């Protein structure tokens, strides 16, 4: 039945009656014009900001959609879409521009579904993470497009191999104990990343993103973490690279990936570009192992769950295909956005109802915690089911509750933590991670033991 | 955090070094010809713009005045764009001496007035955007020396009136967008000179009436947007002469009625949007003059019914949206002949019953919305000819979950379950609140013969429903009782047990059963697995009318 979701689009989303939009490949200047045009059309629900510049000085513009642009409202989740990280994989860039125009236009038309989405979500759209690479790719003769021309940034670096490698630490911690989230960055990381990467890392630190997708091209599949294989070269032979490398949230990630692939016109109906993916999804490492990618970094360094969407066989599809591709992806882009509203969310506060930032929310049995944001609100995506949830914060007594998560909408689970009176004032000032990491060691070790029995 | 700034500049310098032209420090130059200047620290046009620049962009700067001759050194400038420079003012002749300029955009500024000499002579200017600013009006003669304009965008300003002859010089204009301006009215002959105009957007300009014949000179017009205005009426012949019009947008106005001839001469019309008006009826002949209509949107009106024959001969119609009206019934054959129709939305109306053949002509139907009506049941076989049907939305109806919904429920489970997870039973009591796709088939039974006061069936159908057919072989060993509404009951009288094989229950039979309703051939196989549960297999071949 689910293969038929695509035509249902037209039920769920109002049929497009908006004036015909121009479908063309936007060069940098046209992209800027298009973004400002959307912002000017919908000034009350949008904001444009820049997260930095590319090597050649192009702005990395982000368009934000929210009912109160520029402000994080507690309990309203933050979502991001990132396009065109590889300069020559251009469909995502165009889809995100179309999506921006669509959200604005449908909001103005009072489309119920889109209005609700914008009221309940803060959406950040970065149509191009690699605008320099794009220009190189777009300067080619359309009849002789190089497979990799324009992929890298202006320094010749592949941005999706440029994030600090935290997987190694995570895999080590899983076996030996240590944090299972917000893995600290290596001391010299800034000198090892490109300007675009740096801008994105700062961006990810500034906003408490909950869900994200990174739009690529060259295949048709929704790819979920980990990208990096867990097995290392050992005892002199190379293990197969196509062994899956699941995260503790594997089931959830598979559901997120399927949400996209099944709402897409054809992604779920493999094979498309010669490769077969059941349900149109794949674990990154089981496809091919990739180190220092952005997707794994999101999961290991922030609260954000990111998947990588490969959206077209052709990395630089001809202009005439853009409208068709938009229609094939439109419902999926909206459906995936709506996935941010599931699981549990709530406020962690002290006895005086002040939010506690950085509180750790752990789900029993899932070795990946999340933390509360600046205002004490947290978001934990979860599949329907019954869970034991613990909230802990430095200087407070942990609290544990059992909650049932339904299929529709997130359950509100608030925590009010009491000060830990046993601890002296000196201990309260201990580094923020000390308490939680002790608790985590206990949690992680059984998981590691479990893993050993699997292999 | 980032690279030290001098290093960065140096790096950029190296990268751009191959272009001989210098780039003024607050800007970035690409390919030697595209110049981007952005940042609040830019207060004036930077010194030293490359002389061979063809494209110049100012984004979110603090630019105030662009005076006469500001770009005089850029002799090959083709594109000049000012995006969201709030303090920008354009002096007379700001663009003078730029005959090469083909595109000029000023958007998101607080510009409230333009001198009639602002553009000077821009003989090559094709595209002009003066959008989302604070322009209150345009001075007469503003376009006198821009004769090549093909696209003129003035949306999102505060224009209240336009000089009647402002567009006279624009004989080449193809696209004109005046949306989002508080104009309230349009001068009678404003569009007279625009014989080549293809797209005209007059959305959200507070129009209350259309001057007679205002669109008549627009012989090339293909798209006309009049949405989000306050039009209560369309004058007779409002759109006559628009023989090339493909898209007409009238949504979100205050239209209370339409004339039969409102759209009578639009032979190429493809999209007609009437959504969000106050229409309580549509004239029967409304669509007679639009043979190529492909999509009709009339949601969110006050329609109580649709006239018989409204859609007659619309062989290309693919989409009909009548959601959120007050439709209480549909005339017989309302959708006859619509063999191209793929989408039919009738959700959120007051429909209580549908005739069994309502959708029979819709051989291409893929998507059907019936949610939010007052339906209790659907006649069996209502979707029999809709071979391409992919989804039916049924939620928010007071469904009576008994045997009459059994076949539909099976179909939903197989085909439309995700859409209908919120489709709940309203009765019988013990199933109230159950989701229809989640109900096991065995639950959908009729405990008693359905009562005569069943509003969901037409009188004729109710009659049939109360006259069950019982098929039987001459010996009465196998009997099949049932009808179109209550489901079927198979009775097998097994031969007495006790054969010496010890294998227990087993029965195999191929019978022809007769009844007053017709003939049915039935294979019944009952097998017993040793020590296990009995398995029953059955195949029934139907002959009409079963």
């Amino acid at each position: 039945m689910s293969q038929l979701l695509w035509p249902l689009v037209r039920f769920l989303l109002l049929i497009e009656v908006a004036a015909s939009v121009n479908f063309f490949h936007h060069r940098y200047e046209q992209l800027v014009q298009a973004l400002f045009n959307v912002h000017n059309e919908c000034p009350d629900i949008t904001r444009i900001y820049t997260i930095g510049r590319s090597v050649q000085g192009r702005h990395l513009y982000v368009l934000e959609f929210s009912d109160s642009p520029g402000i994080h409202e507690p309990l309203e989740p933050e979502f991001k879409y990132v396009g065109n990280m590889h300069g020559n994989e251009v469909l995502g860039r165009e889809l995100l521009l179309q999506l921006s125009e669509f959200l604005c236009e449908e909001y103005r038309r009072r489309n119920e579904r889109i209005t609700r989405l914008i009221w309940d979500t803060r959406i950040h759209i970065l149509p191009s993470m690699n605008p320099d690479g794009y220009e190189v790719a777009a300067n080619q003769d359309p009849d002789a497009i190089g497979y990799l021309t324009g992929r890298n940034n202006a320094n010749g670096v592949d941005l999706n191999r440029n994030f600090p490698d935290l997987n190694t630490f995570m895999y080590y911690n899983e076996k030996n104990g240590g944090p299972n989230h917000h893995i600290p960055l290596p001391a010299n990381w800034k000198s090892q990343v490109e300007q675009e990467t740096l801008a994105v890392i700062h961006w990810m630190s500034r906003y408490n993103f909950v869900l994200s997708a990174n739009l690529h091209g060259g295949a048709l599949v929704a790819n979920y973490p980990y990208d990096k294989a867990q097995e290392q070269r050992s005892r002199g032979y190379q293990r197969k690279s196509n062994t899956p490398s699941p995260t503790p949230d594997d089931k959830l990630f598979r559901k997120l990936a399927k949400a996209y692939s099944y709402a897409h016109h054809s992604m779920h109906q493999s094979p498309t570009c010669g490769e077969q993916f059941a349900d149109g999804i794949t674990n990154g490492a089981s496809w091919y192992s990739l180190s220092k990618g952005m997707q794994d970094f999101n999961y290991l360094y922030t609260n954000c769950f990111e998947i990588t969407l490969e959206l077209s066989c052709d990395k630089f599809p001809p202009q005439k295909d853009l409208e068709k591709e938009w229609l094939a992806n439109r419902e999926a882009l909206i459906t995936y956005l709506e996935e941010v509203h599931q699981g549990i969310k709530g406020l962690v506060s002290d006895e005086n109802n002040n939010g506690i930032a950085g509180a750790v929310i752990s789900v029993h049995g899932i070795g990946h915690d999340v933390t509360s944001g600046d205002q004490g609100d947290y978001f934990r995506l979860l599949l329907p089911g019954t869970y034991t949830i613990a909230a802990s914060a430095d200087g407070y007594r942990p609290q544990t509750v059992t909650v049932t998560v339904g299929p529709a909408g997130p359950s509100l689970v608030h925590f009010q933590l009491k000060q830990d009176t046993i601890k002296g004032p000196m201990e309260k000032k201990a580094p923020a991670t000390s308490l939680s990491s002790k608790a985590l060691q206990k949690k992680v070790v059984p998981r590691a033991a479990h893993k050993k029995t699997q292999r | 955090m980032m690279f030290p700034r001098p290093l960065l500049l140096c790096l950029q310098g190296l990268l751009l070094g191959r272009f001989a032209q210098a780039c003024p420090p607050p800007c970035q130059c690409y390919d030697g010809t595209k110049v981007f200047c952005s940042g609040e620290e830019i207060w004036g046009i930077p010194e030293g713009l490359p002389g061979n620049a063809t494209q110049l962009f100012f984004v979110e700067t603090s630019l105030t005045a662009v005076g006469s001759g500001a770009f005089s050194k850029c002799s090959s400038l083709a594109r000049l764009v000012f995006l969201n420079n709030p303090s920008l003012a354009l002096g007379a002749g700001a663009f003078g001496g730029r005959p090469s300029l083909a595109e000029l955009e000023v958007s998101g500024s607080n510009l409230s007035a333009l001198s009639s000499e602002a553009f000077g002579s821009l003989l090559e200017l094709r595209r002009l955007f003066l959008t989302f600013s604070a322009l209150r009006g345009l001075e007469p003669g503003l376009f006198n020396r821009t004769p090549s304009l093909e696209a003129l965008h003035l949306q999102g300003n505060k224009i209240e009136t336009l000089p009647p002859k402002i567009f006279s010089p624009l004989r080449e204009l193809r696209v004109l967008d005046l949306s989002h301006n508080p104009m309230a009215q349009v001068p009678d002959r404003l569009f007279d000179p625009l014989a080549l105009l293809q797209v005209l957007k007059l959305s959200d300009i507070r129009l209350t009436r259309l001057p007679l014949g205002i669109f008549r000179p627009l012989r090339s017009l293909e798209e006309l947007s009049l949405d989000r205005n306050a039009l209560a009426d369309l004058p007779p012949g409002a759109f006559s002469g628009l023989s090339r019009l493909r898209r007409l947008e009238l949504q979100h106005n205050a239209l209370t009625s339409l004339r039969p001839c409102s759209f009578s001469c639009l032979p190429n019309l493809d999209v007609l949007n009437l959504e969000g008006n106050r229409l309580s009826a549509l004239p029967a002949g409304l669509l007679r003059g639009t043979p190529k209509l492909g999509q009709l949107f009339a949601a969110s009106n006050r329609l109580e019914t649709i006239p018989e024959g409204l859609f007659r001969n619309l062989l290309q119609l693919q989409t009909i949206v009548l959601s959120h009206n007050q439709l209480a019934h549909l005339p017989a054959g309302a959708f006859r002949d619509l063999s191209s129709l793929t989408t039919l939305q009738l959700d959120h109306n007051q429909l209580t019953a549908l005739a069994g053949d309502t959708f029979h002509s819709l051989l291409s139907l893929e998507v059907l919305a019936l949610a939010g009506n007052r339906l209790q049941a659907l006649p069996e076989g209502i979707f029999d000819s809709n071979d391409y049907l992919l989804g039916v939305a049924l939620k928010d109806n007071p469904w009576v979950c008994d045997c009459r919904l059994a076949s539909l429920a099976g179909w939903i489970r197989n085909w439309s379950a995700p859409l209908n997870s919120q489709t709940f039973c309203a009765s019988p009591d013990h199933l109230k609140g159950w989701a229809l796709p989640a109900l096991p088939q065995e639950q959908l039974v009729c405990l008693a013969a359905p009562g005569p006061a069943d509003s969901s069936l037409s009188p004729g159908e109710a009659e049939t429903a109360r006259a069950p057919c019982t098929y039987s072989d001459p010996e009465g060993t196998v009997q099949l009782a049932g009808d179109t509404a209550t489901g079927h009951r198979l009775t097998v009288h097994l031969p007495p047990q006790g054969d010496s094989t010890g294998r227990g229950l087993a029965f195999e039979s191929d019978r022809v059963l007769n009844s007053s309703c017709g003939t049915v051939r039935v294979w019944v196989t009952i097998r017993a697995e040793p020590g296990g549960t009995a398995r029953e297999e059955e195949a029934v071949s139907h002959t009409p009318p079963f």
Side-chain angles (χ1 to χ4, degrees):
Chain A
M1 63 194 166
S2 32
Q3 71 270 26
L4 298 162
L5 270 177
W6 143 250
L8 310 184
V9 169
R10 283 165 285 184
F11 266 139
L12 305 170
L13 215 59
L14 279 184
I15 294 167
E16 178 129 339
V17 287
S20 45
V21 200
N22 288 328
F23 289 91
F24 62 93
H25 287 293
H26 290 72
R27 300 298 290 247
Y28 174 65
E29 63 273 12
Q30 293 164 321
L31 177 139
V32 177
Q33 276 176 299
L35 288 178
F36 276 89
N37 190 55
V38 172
H39 169 59
N40 288 334
E41 285 265 1
C42 288
D44 299 339
I45 53 158
T46 60
R47 175 174 76 114
I48 291 179
Y49 62 96
T50 170
I51 60 167
R53 287 177 186 262
S54 67
V55 170
Q56 293 181 346
R58 293 185 172 91
H59 279 289
L60 303 175
Y61 280 117
V62 173
L63 180 63
E64 173 193 334
F65 280 87
S66 165
D67 56 334
S68 45
I71 296 166
H72 172 75
E73 295 171 279
L75 298 178
E76 191 169 304
E78 310 264 349
F79 178 99
K80 67 180 158 72
Y81 269 132
V82 178
N84 198 208
M85 178 188 207
H86 289 145
N88 63 333
E89 297 170 13
V90 304
L91 182 59
R93 172 185 175 116
E94 296 308 326
L95 291 179
L96 292 181
L97 288 178
Q98 292 298 334
L99 177 69
S100 304
E101 285 174 12
F102 180 76
L103 290 176
C104 168
E105 180 66 20
E106 292 300 302
Y107 182 85
R108 291 178 70 129
R109 285 166 33 86
R110 298 174 220 135
N111 177 331
E112 250 181 81
R113 186 181 178 200
I114 300 303
T115 305
R116 199 182 324 128
L117 193 60
I118 290 172
W119 277 69
D120 296 348
T121 329
R122 195 165 168 217
I123 304 161
H124 304 258
I125 296 173
L126 171 61
S128 180
M129 183 178 160
N130 183 3
D132 297 349
Y134 177 83
E135 295 300 315
V136 174
N139 276 337
Q140 298 172 91
D141 174 356
D143 295 326
I145 288 187
Y147 191 67
L148 296 174
T149 311
R151 176 183 175 93
N152 298 340
N153 78 346
N155 288 337
V157 174
D158 183 337
L159 298 177
N160 207 23
R161 307 288 187 276
N162 189 236
F163 283 77
D165 177 9
L166 301 180
N167 296 62
T168 311
F169 294 99
M170 178 67 183
Y171 301 159
Y172 177 85
N173 291 353
E174 282 190 345
K175 294 197 175 71
N176 304 292
N180 68 7
H181 68 113
H182 289 79
I183 314 274
L185 295 173
N188 58 347
W189 70 278
K190 275 183 200 163
S191 61
Q192 299 184 350
V193 301
E194 289 298 302
Q195 207 165 311
E196 292 88 350
T197 311
L198 186 71
V200 167
I201 292 177
H202 283 312
W203 184 38
M204 294 186 328
S205 314
R206 209 172 311 134
Y207 296 87
N208 186 18
F209 292 115
V210 177
L211 184 63
S212 168
N214 173 13
L215 279 53
H216 284 247
L220 198 62
V221 67
N223 170 108
Y224 55 91
Y226 296 120
D227 272 340
K228 182 170 178 162
Q230 301 222 15
E231 291 85 9
Q232 300 302 317
R233 234 178 248 269
S234 62
R235 296 205 188 98
Y237 69 94
Q238 172 80 53
R239 302 250 183 128
K240 272 176 150 183
S241 66
N242 58 355
T243 312
S245 178
T247 63
D249 282 293
D250 194 50
K251 279 186 187 155
L252 174 69
F253 270 120
R254 296 170 67 88
K255 188 237 179 182
L256 291 170
K258 275 191 207 173
Y260 199 94
S261 73
Y262 276 92
H264 184 276
H265 187 184
S266 56
M267 187 182 283
H268 54 281
Q269 296 165 331
S270 247
T272 324
C273 314
E275 279 174 287
Q276 181 95 32
F277 299 104
D279 294 323
I281 66 170
T282 185
N283 173 273
S286 86
W287 185 16
Y288 61 89
S289 179
L290 171 168
S291 196
K292 298 185 174 184
M294 183 163 73
Q295 168 181 280
D296 290 2
F297 184 83
N298 267 273
Y299 186 67
L300 296 174
Y301 184 62
T302 75
N303 288 323
C304 190
F305 288 51
E306 183 172 273
I307 65 170
T308 304
L309 298 167
E310 302 282 349
L311 294 174
S312 55
C313 304
D314 197 345
K315 290 187 176 198
F316 207 125
Q319 201 144 288
K320 67 176 172 51
D321 288 353
L322 291 179
E323 181 167 13
K324 188 187 73 185
E325 291 292 352
W326 160 241
L327 292 175
N329 283 281
R330 182 179 65 186
E331 173 61 20
L333 288 166
I334 301 289
T335 299
Y336 185 72
L337 247 166
E338 289 169 336
E339 290 291 313
V340 78
H341 298 287
Q342 62 172 313
I344 57 170
K345 65 177 182 180
L347 288 166
V348 185
S349 56
D350 64 15
E351 286 158 294
N352 301 318
N353 292 319
N354 299 313
I356 302 174
V360 176
I361 309 297
S362 320
V363 181
H364 184 75
I366 302 180
H368 178 82
D369 301 344
V370 299
T371 55
S372 58
D374 289 343
Q375 289 158 302
D377 56 340
Y378 77 90
F379 304 84
R380 186 34 162 123
L381 302 181
L382 287 170
L383 293 173
T386 301
Y387 298 91
T388 305
I389 315 285
S392 58
D394 215 25
Y396 295 89
R397 263 185 268 162
Q399 200 182 81
T400 302
V401 294
T402 300
V403 291
T404 298
V405 176
S411 308
L412 276 179
V413 182
H414 300 306
F415 292 94
Q416 195 160 35
L417 301 185
K418 288 188 177 146
Q419 288 221 324
D420 194 346
T421 46
I422 302 162
K423 286 199 160 196
M426 289 302 286
E427 279 172 291
K428 262 188 218 169
K429 286 182 185 168
T433 49
S434 66
L435 176 78
S436 49
S437 56
K438 261 182 207 167
L440 289 167
Q441 286 185 15
K442 281 180 194 158
K443 257 195 313 288
V444 168
V445 171
R447 189 187 143 69
H450 177 64
K451 284 192 87 62
K452 271 179 196 163
T453 61
Q454 279 183 327
R455 304 253 160 113
Chain B
M1 280 185 188
M2 306 227 202
F3 290 110
R5 201 167 170 76
L7 176 63
L8 195 65
L9 288 175
C10 178
L11 203 62
Q12 282 175 11
L14 280 175
L15 283 160
L16 300 170
R18 59 195 156 122
F19 307 119
Q21 290 292 335
C23 194
C27 306
Q28 282 75 42
C29 302
Y30 302 106
D31 308 337
T33 56
K34 287 185 204 170
V35 183
F36 280 82
C37 305
S38 68
E40 289 171 0
E41 69 277 12
I42 298 176
W43 293 88
I45 304 294
E47 294 288 322
L49 292 169
N52 58 346
T54 57
Q55 303 190 32
L56 197 42
F57 296 80
F58 293 90
V59 183
E60 292 186 313
T61 70
S62 307
L63 271 185
T64 48
V66 176
S68 173
F71 304 106
S72 53
K73 283 184 189 155
C74 305
S75 55
S76 35
L77 198 61
R79 200 160 174 220
L80 181 55
V81 177
F82 298 89
L83 295 176
N84 294 40
N85 301 276
S87 325
L88 187 67
L90 299 177
F95 312 111
R98 294 281 61 78
S100 57
L101 203 62
E103 179 177 326
L104 174 62
E105 170 164 358
V106 180
S107 68
S109 73
N110 286 322
L111 201 64
S112 59
L114 267 181
S115 139
S116 65
E117 289 301 310
F119 303 133
S121 178
L122 295 175
L123 298 178
E124 292 298 317
L125 193 69
R126 313 259 175 218
R127 289 151 56 83
L128 176 60
F129 297 78
L130 298 167
T131 57
F132 306 107
S133 294
L135 289 176
R136 299 197 165 275
L138 300 177
E139 287 193 22
L142 182 66
F143 302 119
N144 279 357
R145 289 193 279 163
T146 58
S148 308
L149 265 190
E150 290 171 7
L152 175 58
H153 291 262
L154 294 164
Q155 66 265 36
N157 282 290
K158 294 178 177 164
I159 299 172
E160 287 176 12
T161 54
L162 284 174
K165 296 196 170 166
I166 184 85
F167 300 133
S168 295
L170 304 182
R171 305 281 167 166
E172 300 293 323
L173 204 64
R174 306 296 204 276
V175 178
L176 175 60
D177 192 341
L178 291 167
S179 302
H180 320 310
N181 279 294
M183 294 176 69
Q185 50 188 339
V186 180
D188 285 6
R189 314 206 49 187
L190 186 67
F191 305 128
D192 278 12
L194 307 179
L196 297 182
L197 198 70
Q198 292 169 356
V199 177
L200 176 59
K201 298 198 177 196
L202 301 171
S203 310
D204 184 23
I205 59 168
R206 303 188 192 173
L207 268 188
T208 52
R209 60 170 205 97
L210 291 179
L212 214 58
I214 187 168
F215 304 125
R216 196 162 294 153
L218 304 177
R219 293 182 299 274
S220 309
L221 201 65
E222 295 178 12
E223 287 188 33
L224 175 57
S225 303
L226 288 162
D227 53 298
R228 288 172 267 187
N229 282 299
L231 298 173
D233 181 43
L234 300 174
F239 309 116
S240 65
L242 302 183
S243 59
R244 295 197 184 167
L245 198 68
R246 286 186 298 104
R247 177 184 283 267
L248 177 55
E249 308 206 51
L250 288 162
Q251 65 268 31
H252 300 295
N253 275 287
L255 299 172
T256 52
S257 65
L258 295 169
R259 293 180 173 78
C261 59
S262 287
F263 312 121
S264 61
C265 304
L266 303 174
N268 283 302
L269 195 67
D270 175 25
V271 178
L272 174 59
N273 195 334
L274 297 166
E275 195 179 292
N277 279 286
R278 297 171 191 168
L279 299 168
S280 52
L282 298 176
L286 184 71
L287 305 176
R288 245 165 239 163
T290 58
K292 290 197 181 162
L293 195 65
Q295 302 184 56
L296 173 69
F297 302 93
S300 302
N301 278 286
R302 296 167 184 177
L303 300 174
E304 287 166 16
T305 186
I306 47 173
E308 208 179 327
L310 176 67
F311 304 121
R312 192 167 294 153
N313 297 324
L314 296 179
L315 300 179
Q316 299 183 25
L317 200 55
Q318 293 186 322
T319 302
I320 299 175
V321 182
L322 293 166
S323 316
H324 294 279
N325 276 290
Q326 291 157 23
L327 299 175
H329 85 280
L330 301 169
F335 307 117
R336 196 180 294 148
D337 303 334
L338 300 181
S339 55
S340 303
L341 199 74
T342 57
T343 302
L344 177 58
Q345 294 191 235
L346 296 167
D347 54 295
H348 300 93
N349 278 291
Q350 313 282 335
L351 297 170
T352 52
L354 293 173
D357 62 355
T358 307
F359 310 121
H360 275 192
S361 314
L362 307 180
L363 302 179
S364 309
L365 193 66
E366 292 174 6
V367 177
L368 174 66
L370 293 171
N373 279 288
R374 297 184 181 175
L375 298 167
Q376 298 185 324
L378 290 177
E380 182 148 335
I382 189 168
F383 304 132
D384 274 2
S385 47
N386 311 123
D387 289 347
Y388 296 96
L389 198 57
L390 295 166
V392 180
L394 297 171
K395 66 177 187 178
D396 300 331
N397 278 292
W399 296 111
V400 177
C401 293
D402 63 16
C403 54
R404 289 165 304 167
L405 270 188
S407 63
L408 182 65
W411 190 87
I412 290 171
R413 267 193 293 276
N414 287 333
W415 298 96
S416 287
L419 256 188
N420 287 293
S421 59
Q422 308 285 311
T423 301
F424 301 114
C425 303
S427 64
D429 281 348
H430 70 282
L431 294 180
K432 201 168 179 174
W434 278 74
L436 188 57
L439 270 187
Q441 195 74 9
E442 309 86 81
Q443 297 267 23
L444 295 167
V445 291
C446 294
L447 298 174
D454 190 337
S455 60
S456 66
L457 298 175
S458 65
E461 285 165 333
E463 206 60 44
T464 328
R466 283 199 303 278
C469 306
T470 301
Y471 299 79
S472 177
D473 60 347
E475 298 82 35
T477 312
V478 179
Q479 286 181 348
L480 185 64
D483 55 61
T484 52
T486 60
H488 314 299
R489 175 184 295 272
L490 179 73
T491 312
V492 182
H493 296 280
L494 294 171
Q497 280 193 45
D499 58 327
S500 55
T501 61
R503 289 174 53 223
L505 192 67
F507 180 77
E508 197 159 344
S509 175
D510 172 8
R511 311 273 167 129
V512 173
L513 313 182
N514 293 305
S515 84
S516 58
C517 305
T519 307
V520 157
R521 187 171 176 190
V522 176
W523 289 269
V524 179
T525 310
I526 299 172
R527 260 192 247 123
E529 309 292 339
T533 48
R535 250 179 44 197
E536 188 169 346
E537 289 173 7
E538 178 195 345
V540 178
S541 84
H542 292 171
T543 52
F546 205 64

